[in-house]
Amino acid sequence: DEGLLRKYNGGLYVWREIAATVGVFGAGYLVYSLGAMTTIWMHPAFCVIAAFSVMRLWRNWSKAAPAPASALAAAGARKLGWAAFKDWFKDIARGAKVVVGDKKLRAVVLINIPLNALHKIFHTLMAVVYATQVLNSPAMAAVLLGAWNMGELAGAWYLERWGRQSRLSNWLLLAAAASLSIWAFWLFPSAWVAVPVSFLIAAAMIGNELGAASYLQSKVPEAEIGAVTGFVYGFARAVGMVALLLSGLAFDRLGAMGGFMA
């Protein structure tokens, strides 16, 4: 049920974005009040806490839902080296075959790749460059990222509440329109514009991303969902990495505002 998947994907993302929003604003406040290096030193501590949390979650899951004997045997016989690489490549190729062979899946994936890349570029590069070189305030990076996270929270909350009635095509159109507002960063170099635009783009894009994920989960056969998801997100990440490198080059060669125009 694609609508039900949208609802519960939205619910999961609401909690993720609550954590992300608190973390981003908290880090921004610490950078502003204690300095960047003091804040950076807290990062390893939080990584240790996260690691223990995941281990506890894994133990609880293992007790609640023990894996069948066949899955345990398969895990025990996990391949290494060249054999593992060949299996990985076969999975990617199988996922690519399923996507390329389905017109709607192909369209959804092609549309989501540039949006996914923009998402990654904003978090990794744009917010930091805009805050430091345009607004001349490093702590403003936290405000921009916080606005983005709040936008994602709003989009996820909408899907949790009304996701069963919404359609993927609506989110695709909304994300396409919102992505054009990235021009506002260049046209109106001000925090008063950048903050609401960050919120708007994120809200539209997360609805599209979760809608696309729900569509994949509902349309792809269960036996192929791992291979298809691996191909879709692996390919999107690869394009995002290239786009990120080119964006960094544009900022270095053209300066902050020239980079945003590009």
Side-chain angles (χ1 to χ4, degrees):
D1 184 337
E2 186 184 345
L4 199 61
L5 284 164
R6 272 197 299 272
K7 171 182 167 60
Y8 284 103
N9 280 330
L12 281 172
Y13 222 89
V14 163
W15 286 103
R16 167 185 158 143
E17 289 309 314
I18 288 173
T21 304
V22 170
V24 165
F25 281 129
Y29 176 76
L30 290 173
V31 169
Y32 179 75
S33 57
L34 302 178
M37 288 310 299
T38 304
T39 306
I40 287 170
W41 273 110
M42 295 181 185
H43 193 243
F46 279 104
C47 286
V48 171
I49 294 169
F52 278 112
S53 300
V54 172
M55 288 166 64
R56 182 174 180 179
L57 181 66
W58 172 253
R59 283 199 301 273
N60 291 342
W61 179 82
S62 299
K63 291 174 186 175
S70 59
L72 289 171
R78 189 168 289 140
K79 296 175 184 176
L80 299 172
W82 179 245
F85 177 79
K86 285 197 294 185
D87 281 354
W88 169 82
F89 186 79
K90 285 178 184 175
D91 269 354
I92 294 292
R94 197 167 83 248
K97 184 178 179 181
V98 172
V99 171
V100 171
D102 186 302
K103 185 179 178 181
K104 285 189 176 179
L105 272 180
R106 197 164 62 237
V108 167
V109 169
L110 286 173
I111 290 166
N112 270 279
I113 284 170
L115 297 176
N116 209 296
L118 183 57
H119 188 165
K120 178 62 69 177
I121 291 168
F122 185 91
H123 271 263
T124 312
L125 192 65
M126 282 177 57
V128 175
V129 172
Y130 204 79
T132 56
Q133 296 191 28
V134 178
L135 302 178
N136 297 313
S137 173
M140 280 300 296
V143 177
L144 293 173
L145 288 171
W148 184 284
N149 287 129
M150 290 180 73
E152 290 190 339
L153 178 60
W157 180 78
Y158 179 91
L159 279 181
E160 184 186 24
R161 294 286 175 174
W162 295 289
R164 299 196 71 173
Q165 288 79 44
S166 64
R167 294 206 313 268
L168 177 61
S169 57
N170 295 342
W171 285 105
L172 289 172
L173 290 169
L174 187 60
S179 65
L180 294 175
S181 65
I182 206 79
W183 278 91
F185 281 82
W186 177 71
L187 289 169
F188 309 103
S190 162
W192 294 105
V193 174
V195 169
V197 167
S198 299
F199 178 93
L200 170 68
I201 297 173
M205 284 195 178
I206 204 58
N208 174 65
E209 283 185 29
L210 294 180
S214 303
Y215 181 83
L216 287 174
Q217 290 164 348
S218 68
K219 301 302 180 188
V220 175
E222 188 176 353
E224 306 292 343
I225 190 67
V228 168
T229 304
F231 166 72
V232 169
Y233 286 97
F235 190 50
R237 283 290 183 265
V239 173
M241 286 162 66
V242 174
L244 191 59
L245 289 168
L246 292 174
S247 298
L249 183 66
F251 282 123
D252 286 343
R253 295 287 175 86
L254 305 174
M257 295 311 293
F260 279 106
M261 184 180 72

PDB file of all heavy atoms in Angstrom, residues 205-219:
ATOM      1  N   MET A 205      11.409  18.787  -1.137  1.00  0.00           N
ATOM      2  CA  MET A 205      12.283  17.692  -1.552  1.00  0.00           C
ATOM      3  C   MET A 205      12.110  16.443  -0.704  1.00  0.00           C
ATOM      4  O   MET A 205      12.182  15.333  -1.209  1.00  0.00           O
ATOM      5  CB  MET A 205      13.741  18.143  -1.533  1.00  0.00           C
ATOM      6  CG  MET A 205      14.097  19.011  -2.708  1.00  0.00           C
ATOM      7  SD  MET A 205      15.872  19.164  -2.901  1.00  0.00           S
ATOM      8  CE  MET A 205      15.925  20.182  -4.367  1.00  0.00           C
ATOM      9  N   ILE A 206      11.907  16.607   0.597  1.00  0.00           N
ATOM     10  CA  ILE A 206      11.787  15.410   1.427  1.00  0.00           C
ATOM     11  C   ILE A 206      10.474  14.692   1.134  1.00  0.00           C
ATOM     12  O   ILE A 206      10.412  13.460   1.169  1.00  0.00           O
ATOM     13  CB  ILE A 206      11.930  15.752   2.926  1.00  0.00           C
ATOM     14  CG1 ILE A 206      12.395  14.493   3.682  1.00  0.00           C
ATOM     15  CG2 ILE A 206      10.640  16.250   3.532  1.00  0.00           C
ATOM     16  CD1 ILE A 206      13.697  13.919   3.188  1.00  0.00           C
ATOM     17  N   GLY A 207       9.431  15.462   0.832  1.00  0.00           N
ATOM     18  CA  GLY A 207       8.189  14.813   0.423  1.00  0.00           C
ATOM     19  C   GLY A 207       8.405  14.004  -0.846  1.00  0.00           C
ATOM     20  O   GLY A 207       7.893  12.896  -0.993  1.00  0.00           O
ATOM     21  N   ASN A 208       9.192  14.558  -1.761  1.00  0.00           N
ATOM     22  CA  ASN A 208       9.492  13.855  -2.999  1.00  0.00           C
ATOM     23  C   ASN A 208      10.371  12.625  -2.741  1.00  0.00           C
ATOM     24  O   ASN A 208      10.122  11.546  -3.272  1.00  0.00           O
ATOM     25  CB  ASN A 208      10.196  14.813  -3.959  1.00  0.00           C
ATOM     26  CG  ASN A 208      10.682  14.118  -5.209  1.00  0.00           C
ATOM     27  OD1 ASN A 208       9.884  13.636  -5.991  1.00  0.00           O
ATOM     28  ND2 ASN A 208      11.984  14.040  -5.376  1.00  0.00           N
ATOM     29  N   GLU A 209      11.405  12.780  -1.910  1.00  0.00           N
ATOM     30  CA  GLU A 209      12.309  11.656  -1.631  1.00  0.00           C
ATOM     31  C   GLU A 209      11.566  10.507  -0.952  1.00  0.00           C
ATOM     32  O   GLU A 209      11.731   9.337  -1.327  1.00  0.00           O
ATOM     33  CB  GLU A 209      13.471  12.106  -0.746  1.00  0.00           C
ATOM     34  CG  GLU A 209      14.549  12.875  -1.495  1.00  0.00           C
ATOM     35  CD  GLU A 209      15.749  13.197  -0.611  1.00  0.00           C
ATOM     36  OE1 GLU A 209      16.020  12.430   0.327  1.00  0.00           O
ATOM     37  OE2 GLU A 209      16.401  14.225  -0.863  1.00  0.00           O
ATOM     38  N   LEU A 210      10.771  10.829   0.077  1.00  0.00           N
ATOM     39  CA  LEU A 210      10.028   9.781   0.782  1.00  0.00           C
ATOM     40  C   LEU A 210       8.931   9.199  -0.104  1.00  0.00           C
ATOM     41  O   LEU A 210       8.633   8.006  -0.033  1.00  0.00           O
ATOM     42  CB  LEU A 210       9.426  10.334   2.075  1.00  0.00           C
ATOM     43  CG  LEU A 210      10.433  10.764   3.144  1.00  0.00           C
ATOM     44  CD1 LEU A 210       9.705  11.303   4.370  1.00  0.00           C
ATOM     45  CD2 LEU A 210      11.333   9.610   3.548  1.00  0.00           C
ATOM     46  N   GLY A 211       8.332  10.066  -0.940  1.00  0.00           N
ATOM     47  CA  GLY A 211       7.324   9.568  -1.886  1.00  0.00           C
ATOM     48  C   GLY A 211       7.936   8.596  -2.876  1.00  0.00           C
ATOM     49  O   GLY A 211       7.356   7.554  -3.183  1.00  0.00           O
ATOM     50  N   ALA A 212       9.127   8.938  -3.380  1.00  0.00           N
ATOM     51  CA  ALA A 212       9.817   8.053  -4.323  1.00  0.00           C
ATOM     52  C   ALA A 212      10.205   6.741  -3.660  1.00  0.00           C
ATOM     53  O   ALA A 212      10.061   5.655  -4.244  1.00  0.00           O
ATOM     54  CB  ALA A 212      11.052   8.751  -4.877  1.00  0.00           C
ATOM     55  N   ALA A 213      10.701   6.814  -2.412  1.00  0.00           N
ATOM     56  CA  ALA A 213      11.068   5.589  -1.674  1.00  0.00           C
ATOM     57  C   ALA A 213       9.847   4.704  -1.461  1.00  0.00           C
ATOM     58  O   ALA A 213       9.913   3.479  -1.623  1.00  0.00           O
ATOM     59  CB  ALA A 213      11.702   5.959  -0.345  1.00  0.00           C
ATOM     60  N   SER A 214       8.717   5.328  -1.113  1.00  0.00           N
ATOM     61  CA  SER A 214       7.487   4.568  -0.891  1.00  0.00           C
ATOM     62  C   SER A 214       7.006   3.930  -2.189  1.00  0.00           C
ATOM     63  O   SER A 214       6.497   2.797  -2.192  1.00  0.00           O
ATOM     64  CB  SER A 214       6.396   5.482  -0.314  1.00  0.00           C
ATOM     65  OG  SER A 214       6.833   6.079   0.882  1.00  0.00           O
ATOM     66  N   TYR A 215       7.146   4.661  -3.293  1.00  0.00           N
ATOM     67  CA  TYR A 215       6.764   4.115  -4.596  1.00  0.00           C
ATOM     68  C   TYR A 215       7.606   2.873  -4.918  1.00  0.00           C
ATOM     69  O   TYR A 215       7.087   1.843  -5.354  1.00  0.00           O
ATOM     70  CB  TYR A 215       6.951   5.183  -5.672  1.00  0.00           C
ATOM     71  CG  TYR A 215       6.570   4.717  -7.060  1.00  0.00           C
ATOM     72  CD1 TYR A 215       5.245   4.748  -7.481  1.00  0.00           C
ATOM     73  CD2 TYR A 215       7.528   4.229  -7.945  1.00  0.00           C
ATOM     74  CE1 TYR A 215       4.885   4.304  -8.743  1.00  0.00           C
ATOM     75  CE2 TYR A 215       7.186   3.784  -9.200  1.00  0.00           C
ATOM     76  CZ  TYR A 215       5.860   3.824  -9.602  1.00  0.00           C
ATOM     77  OH  TYR A 215       5.511   3.374 -10.852  1.00  0.00           O
ATOM     78  N   LEU A 216       8.927   2.977  -4.686  1.00  0.00           N
ATOM     79  CA  LEU A 216       9.808   1.829  -4.924  1.00  0.00           C
ATOM     80  C   LEU A 216       9.389   0.643  -4.060  1.00  0.00           C
ATOM     81  O   LEU A 216       9.297  -0.498  -4.539  1.00  0.00           O
ATOM     82  CB  LEU A 216      11.259   2.188  -4.608  1.00  0.00           C
ATOM     83  CG  LEU A 216      12.002   3.110  -5.574  1.00  0.00           C
ATOM     84  CD1 LEU A 216      13.379   3.452  -5.004  1.00  0.00           C
ATOM     85  CD2 LEU A 216      12.176   2.459  -6.936  1.00  0.00           C
ATOM     86  N   GLN A 217       9.135   0.907  -2.781  1.00  0.00           N
ATOM     87  CA  GLN A 217       8.787  -0.170  -1.853  1.00  0.00           C
ATOM     88  C   GLN A 217       7.480  -0.861  -2.237  1.00  0.00           C
ATOM     89  O   GLN A 217       7.308  -2.054  -1.979  1.00  0.00           O
ATOM     90  CB  GLN A 217       8.682   0.388  -0.431  1.00  0.00           C
ATOM     91  CG  GLN A 217      10.028   0.802   0.149  1.00  0.00           C
ATOM     92  CD  GLN A 217       9.895   1.698   1.366  1.00  0.00           C
ATOM     93  OE1 GLN A 217       8.807   2.203   1.661  1.00  0.00           O
ATOM     94  NE2 GLN A 217      10.991   1.910   2.073  1.00  0.00           N
ATOM     95  N   SER A 218       6.571  -0.098  -2.839  1.00  0.00           N
ATOM     96  CA  SER A 218       5.270  -0.678  -3.177  1.00  0.00           C
ATOM     97  C   SER A 218       5.253  -1.371  -4.538  1.00  0.00           C
ATOM     98  O   SER A 218       4.473  -2.299  -4.752  1.00  0.00           O
ATOM     99  CB  SER A 218       4.189   0.416  -3.146  1.00  0.00           C
ATOM    100  OG  SER A 218       4.383   1.337  -4.198  1.00  0.00           O
ATOM    101  N   LYS A 219       6.092  -0.930  -5.484  1.00  0.00           N
ATOM    102  CA  LYS A 219       6.032  -1.442  -6.853  1.00  0.00           C
ATOM    103  C   LYS A 219       7.055  -2.527  -7.160  1.00  0.00           C
ATOM    104  O   LYS A 219       6.825  -3.365  -8.022  1.00  0.00           O
ATOM    105  CB  LYS A 219       6.234  -0.288  -7.850  1.00  0.00           C
ATOM    106  CG  LYS A 219       5.226   0.833  -7.747  1.00  0.00           C
ATOM    107  CD  LYS A 219       3.803   0.355  -7.945  1.00  0.00           C
ATOM    108  CE  LYS A 219       2.813   1.515  -7.834  1.00  0.00           C
ATOM    109  NZ  LYS A 219       1.407   1.039  -7.838  1.00  0.00           N
TER     110      LYS A 219
END
